[in-house]
Amino acid sequence: MFEFAVWWLATLGIWMLTLSSVHWPDLGFAMGGAIPCAASAVVTRRALGDRWTIHRPALGWLLRLPAAIVFDTVRVLAVPWKPLFGGRLEEGEFIEVPVGRGRAVGPTSARAAAILLVSATPGSYAVDDSAQTGRLRLHALVSGRMQMGDVMRR
């Protein structure tokens, strides 16, 4: 029941954040709509057999995410201007990033956190995940140092 309540509050909060102003009918509809969302979240988590564990490296990744977003945004926005200053237009590349220091990241939630965080930056997107090797295959829009990829390698 506690887990259901947490999911209910989370989905209710997300719904309310999308509103520009809150009125009683909106709140009532959001409260009712959050019930099936919370039930789905509980059933899905139990069907996957995942536990609620905190993947400590992911907390460090989360703290570095805002800087990585700014860094990657500047790099991506600079790409079209490179030919004007003598550089060449980049096409991007596929790279592999070890997550969990070269060993497999066990919990599904930890791998999901890694995929979410690396894909949150505009410079890269996760396209494949290998649970056996603990490696993510990423499409990087610009070559060279990739901020979130570098953070995850540590």
Side-chain angles (χ1 to χ4, degrees), residues 57-68 117 148 151:
L59 292 176
W61 302 339
L62 185 61
L63 292 174
R64 294 180 180 98
L65 181 63
L117 292 175
M148 280 310 289
V151 167

Side-chain angles (χ1 to χ4, degrees), residues 3 5-6 15 19 29 39-40 45 52-53 59 62 64 72 79 95 98 101 105-106 114-115 118 135 137 140 147 154:
E3 180 182 4
V6 169
W15 180 286
L19 301 176
F29 188 75
S40 299
R45 190 201 55 79
W52 287 105
T53 57
L59 292 176
L62 185 61
R64 294 180 180 98
D72 279 357
V79 168
I95 59 174
R101 299 176 195 232
V105 177
I115 291 168
V118 78
R135 299 179 71 80
R137 183 169 171 81
Q147 188 70 16
R154 296 180 189 143

